[in-house]
Structure formats: structure tokens, C-alpha cells
Amino acid sequence: MNTLSPEPSAAPAPLLRTTLARRSSPAVPMAETAPAVESRDFKFWYGATAEPTLKGITLRVPRKAVTAIIGPSGCGKSTFLRAINRMHDLLPGARYGGELLLNGQSIFGPGMDLVALRQRVGMVFQRPNPFPKSIFDNVAYGAELNRLVAPRDLPDLVERCLRQAALWDEVKDRLDQPGTGLSGGQQQRLCIARALGNQPEVLLMDEPCSALDPIATQRVEELIHELKRDYTIVIVTHNMQQAARVSDYTGFFDRGELIEVGETEQVFTNPASPRTEAYLTGRFG
Amino acid sequence: MATSSLPTPEAPATAPPASLVGAQHGDRVFRLLLTTAALAIPLLMGFLVYELYTGSALAIDRYGLGFVTGSTWDPVAEEFGAAPLIFGTLLSAVLALLIAVPLSLGVAIFLTEFAPRWLRQPVAFVIELLAAIPSVVYGLWGIFVLVPLLKKVVFPFLRDTLGFLPFFQGPIYGPSMLAASVILAIMVMPFIMSVAREVLLAVPNSQREAALALGATRWEAVTSAIVPYARSGIIGAVILGLGRALGETMAVTMLIGNRHEIAASLFAPGYTMAAVIANEFSGAGTDIHFAALTYVALVLFVITVLVNAAARLLIWRVSRGAPAGGTGL
Ligand SMILES: Nc1ncnc2c1ncn2[C@@H]1O[C@H](COP(=O)(O)OP(=O)(O)OP(=O)(O)O)[C@@H](O)[C@H]1O
Ligand SMILES: [Mg+2]
């Protein structure tokens, strides 16, 4: 029998229903906000292969909201995310097609300064990767590098970022200790603080909680909820409940295509595509 | 019935397989072998120190610690002082590092971060080949190519531009402290370069990405993230080079001029501990001459151990709290 049952009003998995109920729906509908990041038929190739890894993604990422990207492993979520701050530039032979815009300006265009782009678009990686420097120097790194604040204002900035990252109370007495000496969850929050220290507009998070325990995960999720007041956040996650809890909008990727995107509530409770529904209910494949 | 038609499963092996017991036995033998080997090294070292000590007892009795401060070396008058040798050894090694470290680090960084991919492996391979050239060949090359070049071009240039410093004054001979330091630098470069390169290659890509994602340029990522991450390994590379420079004998003695003298000018000849041992050991006519040379060997041994201990302390201090930024040697 076909596992893809064509029920039109598919019920979400029970766990999702409870988490969804607690979440308020986004203030602004997706189409009406001016997007912070917009991709138009964006394609990406890792090498000289004929088949692109991303096959034409058209997606608007609303400002000051959390957009989750979900999808099976290898579908191109990280590839898409890393294109937004051009982390692919290091790879020889990588190509792209279509358009990718930050505030309406082409990310790959000649007018885009790579250093400025990466300052405006911060990134938090799957595994915490603090520098083997002091906690203070980790957070101050971007601001010092890009000369964002005067040296005497650095302590204020560091404190503010650590507070925003909900790490201040745990580390305020040992800012001179190496950041690599923190626990995994603390390290990840340090990396978030470090990204905030760069005063970005957009924060990209690639499975930021996959190396964390449930408590640390919860803290990071609360943090994301706080941060969306000031930042545009794009988060890749394999955890459906997490996507449901933290995001306002959700995009479902499969095999290099964006299958559907919409308000999280709608995507989870009433997905337009049977493929999304199959994935959400665990009957995928 | 269905079960009867199924093939019976093979009898489970209840007795422990013989091969496993054998492996455990082999383990024991192996461990014994390794332990013996590991113990043999400190033993050998102690034996070496003992030999050096008894061999130089005569000179130690006669000159005591004044040996390391005295500066006359006269086998006929049986007067021996090693200060110029110690000075020459340390100075030539330090100068060699001053030249070799920036160059080899530059090459290592270029090869790991900036060079086009097709170039990286071949260049690294060629540089590592340089480490395999016998030291006497470097010495010959130094005599026929390097010294004339230094004498005609580099030394006069240094005297004209930096001549106000005492290091670059006085007559130019050719064989000199500076010539020996340059050849030493060329000889230790491949070692420092290849170890530093390995260490830089071992820096996880996540560190590189972290720096780049924060808006660092490639160069800023190298100086502010990659090199600091690898710092203890890089210091290890430098120490390896220092060890080689302190003990190098053949090429040095061919180029340093072999004169027992402490000169301010780097154009003047000098001498090193290793060089004097190699030159005079076979011709040592008297017991006291022989003992003095062994005493020099003992001093060289002690200095090498001290320098390495200090370097290890340095590595330990910079790498505290840091992840293993490479091997640390
Ligand atoms: N550096 C690379 N070179 C070549 N192909 C790559 C590279 N990185 C990823 N790919 C390929 O691109 C496709 C998409 O990879 P991507 O990392 O974007 O997947 P993902 O959706 O993030 O998966 P996951 O959930 O497992 O992280 C995969 O088929 C992968 O094999
Ligand atoms: Mg991924």
C-alpha cells in the first residue's frame, strides 16, 4: 500500500501540535515584508557536474523573523545557507546561477564587498568553533577586525553580546580564560555572541544545536526567540520540533529544490505538498 | 513444518576462538618489547652522560667551571677555555634561526593557504628533498658558491648600509660567522618549513571558516586565527630547527673560519663546539687535550638539553588551555 496517504487535512504529529499551540503566529505575513534576503531561481554547482546541487531556489527571507529550513540530509540546506555569506568562495570550481540578494543588492554582484557582506551576514556553525583565545577576545574578534567600535568601547560591546547570548552570568568572572575551555553548549553560545559582536543584520545558523544536550538546546532556542527582535535569522535544523518551536516561517527543501515555504504553522499543520507532509510525519522516502 | 525445512544454523562457537588467545599473548610480548625499548633510551642517555663525564674528568679537575669562561685554546701550552666556542655555537644558531624562521614560515603559509593547489604538493616535496642533502655537500656548495657571493656582493652591501653597527664592521674575509649562519639557515629551513606546513595543514577548517565568516580577509584569517591556533606546533618546528643548528658540524666548520675568538663583527671568523670536536679529536696528542674536547662535548650536551627544556616550557606555556595546536613535538 502507498504510504503517502492523500488525506487533505493531514494532522501534524502530536508533539508538534503542542509546541505549535504555544507559539504565537508571526506579526507580519510573509509576502508583505520587504525581504532581508531573497533568492530568485538560485542555482548552485559544486563542480563541473551537469546536475546542480541547488536547482532554482526562489525564497524570500522576511526581516526580523526566524526562517527555518528543513529537509532530508543532503538536500542542499547547508549549501543554500553558506551561499548567503559566500562561504563557497574558497571552493575552486563552484558555480552559481540565478540571483541572491541581500537587501535588494546582489550578493555575488561586483558592488558587493566580501568582507562587508560577511560582517553583515553572521554565521553560526554546526559544531562550536571558538578560537583558542580568551572569551573576551573571541567576542571582540569581529569588532576589532572590522573596526566597528573604538577600542575603549570593546568591553561594553563584549558584555552586551554575552548578555544577548545568555552567557554573561556564567563567564563574567573569567573573561580572560580561553573560550575553548567552556562546555559545548557554552561554546556554542560563545560563538553566537561572537557572531553578534560583528553587529550583523542577518544571522545564519546551520544546525546550531546538533551537538548540544536538551538543556543547552533549550537555552539556544530561547536565545533565538530573543534575537529575532533585532536580527533576521535563518536556521537549518533536523529537529522538526525545534523548527516548529523557534521559527515563524519554514521552507522545506528536497533534492536541491524548495518544495514549499510558508508560515510555520501552516506548513506544519496543513502542508501544501504531499512530500512535505510525508517528511513531517516521518513517512519519507 | 516451516522450521524443519530451514537449514539448521551452524553450531555457535562456545569455546573462545584460538586466534583471540594468540592475540592476547602477542599483545603481551609486544608490550614487553616496547617497554624495553622505551626504557633503553633513558638508560642510553645516562650512559652517554657518564661516559662524557669520565672522559672529561681530567679537564674538569684542572679547569673546573672556569673552562666555560676562559677564551684561550692552546693545546701546546695545555690551556683550554671554551667561551669562544660556546659563543660561536649559540650565535650561529640564533642568527640562522633569525634568517630561516621568517622564510620558512612564509613558505609554509604560502603553501597551505595561498598557493594554487597544483603547486602545493610539488613545491613541498622539493623543499623536503633539501633536507636529505648531506651536510658536506652544503659545505662544498657554501665554499664554491655562497662564500664568493657573500664576499663580493652581500657583505660589502651590508657594510655600506649598516656599517654604523659594530656587527657589520671590519675586514671581509669570506669564511665567517655570518657565512656559517647563512648556510645553517639554508640547512634548517626545510625542517622548519615541512613541520610548520604539517601543523598548518592540521588546523581544522572550522577555524578558517570561523575567521572568514566574521569578515576576515584570507590574510587576516591566517594571522589572527590560523597561526595562533597552530602556535605551539610552530614553536615546535622552530625548536627542531634550533636543535639542528646547534649540533650541525660539517658545513659549519667548512664556512666559519675556525678561529678561537669572540668578535663583535659578523664578518670575522669564529668557531663552534661541534666543529672543534670534529676537527681536533683525531689529532689530540695529549690526554688533557682529549679530555678538554670531551668536556666541550659535555657542555654542548648540557646546552642542548637546557635549550630544549626551555623551549618545551615555552610550548607548554603558550598552549595552556588551547587545543592541541598541532603536535608540539
Ligand atoms: N564541498 C562539496 N563539494 C562537493 N559536493 C558537496 C560539497 N558539500 C556538499 N556537497 C554535496 O551537496 C549536496 C548538498 O549538501 P548539503 O551539505 O547542502 O546538504 P544538507 O542539506 O546540509 O545536509 P545535512 O542535513 O546532512 O547537513 C550533497 O549531495 C553533498 O554531497
Ligand atoms: Mg548541512
Side-chain angles (χ1 to χ4, degrees):
Chain A
M1 211 194 95
N2 194 350
T3 46
L4 272 181
S5 53
E7 288 170 87
S9 58
L15 262 167
L16 292 179
R17 200 201 305 268
T18 54
T19 47
L20 279 173
R22 271 192 269 113
R23 215 177 42 78
S24 56
S25 58
V28 219
M30 192 161 209
E32 282 173 26
T33 40
V37 175
E38 184 175 7
S39 79
R40 294 188 192 141
D41 196 28
F42 182 72
K43 298 188 186 69
F44 186 87
W45 291 261
Y46 271 110
T49 50
E51 188 82 339
T53 301
L54 296 177
K55 301 165 186 154
I57 305 290
T58 299
L59 172 67
R60 292 155 62 91
V61 176
R63 202 175 297 280
K64 300 204 174 166
V66 180
T67 303
I69 296 180
I70 58 172
S73 189
C75 67
K77 306 180 294 294
S78 299
T79 305
F80 180 71
L81 206 66
R82 293 162 65 87
I84 300 176
N85 70 347
R86 281 176 61 176
M87 289 308 284
H88 295 306
D89 276 26
L90 280 183
L91 299 174
R95 289 182 295 141
Y96 71 94
E99 274 191 285
L100 196 53
L101 309 171
L102 175 67
N103 288 331
Q105 190 190 358
S106 171
I107 283 173
F108 293 93
M112 181 58 81
D113 174 32
L114 189 57
V115 167
L117 169 73
R118 288 176 178 163
Q119 183 261 310
R120 288 163 65 191
V121 183
M123 185 147 195
V124 176
F125 296 85
Q126 178 168 357
R127 305 210 144 263
N129 54 356
F131 297 124
K133 303 172 187 287
S134 71
I135 293 172
F136 185 96
D137 287 344
N138 262 287
V139 182
Y141 183 89
E144 265 184 321
L145 196 68
N146 299 311
R147 296 191 185 76
L148 300 177
V149 299
R152 66 189 151 75
D153 295 330
L154 275 177
D156 284 345
L157 176 84
V158 168
E159 176 173 350
R160 196 169 67 240
C161 295
L162 283 171
R163 279 188 192 283
Q164 275 187 312
L167 190 60
W168 175 251
D169 290 330
E170 286 154 72
V171 301
K172 63 173 180 245
D173 299 321
R174 46 172 172 154
L175 292 177
D176 55 340
Q177 301 283 310
T180 40
L182 298 172
S183 77
Q186 288 172 327
Q187 285 189 17
Q188 192 62 303
R189 276 178 284 147
L190 179 65
C191 290
I192 293 174
R194 182 177 67 183
L196 299 180
N198 226 351
Q199 308 182 351
E201 301 160 27
V202 179
L203 204 52
L204 309 173
M205 304 177 130
D206 195 349
E207 300 180 42
C209 300
S210 63
L212 305 187
D213 70 50
I215 308 275
T217 300
Q218 193 189 347
R219 303 213 56 168
V220 172
E221 285 179 10
E222 285 164 4
L223 175 61
I224 292 171
H225 204 75
E226 287 295 307
L227 291 177
K228 77 172 179 186
R229 260 187 280 151
D230 302 312
Y231 304 92
T232 303
I233 296 175
V234 185
I235 179 173
V236 168
T237 176
H238 274 291
N239 181 334
M240 291 311 110
Q241 287 130 47
Q242 180 171 66
R245 282 191 299 261
V246 301
S247 72
D248 303 305
Y249 306 98
T250 297
F252 172 62
F253 277 51
D254 188 19
R255 280 168 248 169
E257 288 170 89
L258 178 65
I259 303 301
E260 90 171 83
V261 60
E263 287 180 15
T264 299
E265 179 126 33
Q266 176 255 312
V267 171
F268 274 87
T269 53
N270 192 15
S273 157
R275 273 158 92 179
T276 315
E277 191 209 319
Y279 182 70
L280 289 176
T281 51
R283 282 176 289 155
F284 196 74
Chain B
M1 264 187 71
T3 40
S4 63
S5 65
L6 282 172
T8 44
E10 278 166 45
T14 41
S19 67
L20 259 181
V21 177
Q24 277 164 6
H25 184 67
D27 270 359
R28 228 171 280 136
V29 172
F30 194 55
R31 187 157 66 201
L32 197 73
L33 261 171
L34 287 185
T35 315
T36 320
L39 285 179
I41 290 168
L43 260 176
L44 205 66
M45 189 111 153
F47 187 63
L48 187 73
V49 174
Y50 174 76
E51 277 295 307
L52 285 177
Y53 185 78
T54 50
S56 54
L58 201 58
I60 293 176
D61 283 348
R62 173 109 59 109
Y63 309 111
L65 275 181
F67 185 74
V68 295
T69 52
S71 58
T72 325
W73 186 276
D74 189 345
V76 180
E78 300 201 340
E79 221 184 303
F80 295 102
L85 304 172
I86 298 171
F87 172 81
T89 299
L90 292 178
L91 182 63
S92 60
V94 167
L95 279 179
L97 285 191
L98 280 182
I99 303 168
V101 168
L103 276 176
S104 25
L105 288 191
V107 173
I109 289 171
F110 173 73
L111 285 182
T112 48
E113 303 291 329
F114 297 103
R117 262 151 223 277
W118 57 267
L119 196 66
R120 297 181 180 189
Q121 222 34 66
V123 172
F125 180 71
V126 168
I127 292 180
E128 273 163 35
L129 268 190
L130 290 179
I133 298 178
S135 133
V136 66
V137 176
Y138 274 106
L140 279 181
W141 180 81
I143 288 176
F144 291 119
V145 182
L146 185 68
V147 168
L149 180 79
L150 290 173
K151 192 174 168 183
K152 285 203 199 72
V153 185
V154 182
F155 288 180
F157 172 78
L158 283 175
R159 190 168 58 181
D160 293 345
T161 50
L162 296 168
F164 57 91
L165 295 168
F167 318 122
F168 302 110
Q169 289 169 356
I172 291 171
Y173 301 102
S176 56
M177 183 63 79
L178 194 51
S181 305
V182 171
I183 201 79
L184 266 182
I186 296 173
M187 291 174 74
V188 300
M189 246 199 70
F191 290 93
I192 304 182
M193 198 290 306
S194 56
V195 175
R197 181 173 154 272
E198 300 282 332
V199 168
L200 289 173
L201 280 178
V203 174
N205 219 12
S206 66
Q207 291 284 316
R208 218 162 268 130
E209 288 186 338
L212 294 175
L214 287 161
T217 61
R218 299 277 297 275
W219 178 244
E220 285 166 340
V222 167
T223 54
S224 68
I226 295 169
V227 169
Y229 189 92
R231 64 190 186 270
S232 59
I234 288 176
I235 295 174
V238 173
I239 290 163
L240 181 73
L242 180 62
R244 296 215 42 105
L246 284 175
E248 176 49 46
T249 310
M250 202 57 211
V252 172
T253 194
M254 289 165 87
L255 264 71
I256 202 166
N258 301 335
R259 190 193 290 172
H260 290 277
E261 191 179 278
I262 297 182
S265 174
L266 300 178
F267 299 152
Y271 220 156
T272 68
M273 292 188 267
V276 84
I277 296 169
N279 282 334
E280 297 189 5
F281 211 76
S282 55
T286 57
D287 282 349
I288 188 68
H289 191 186
F290 186 85
L293 288 173
T294 315
Y295 198 179
V296 171
L298 184 62
V299 173
L300 179 58
F301 179 85
V302 168
I303 287 183
T304 317
V305 168
L306 283 183
V307 165
N308 271 290
R312 247 149 232 281
L313 200 69
L314 184 69
I315 293 188
W316 177 75
R317 288 202 47 179
V318 296
S319 62
R320 247 185 319 176
T327 57
L329 290 169

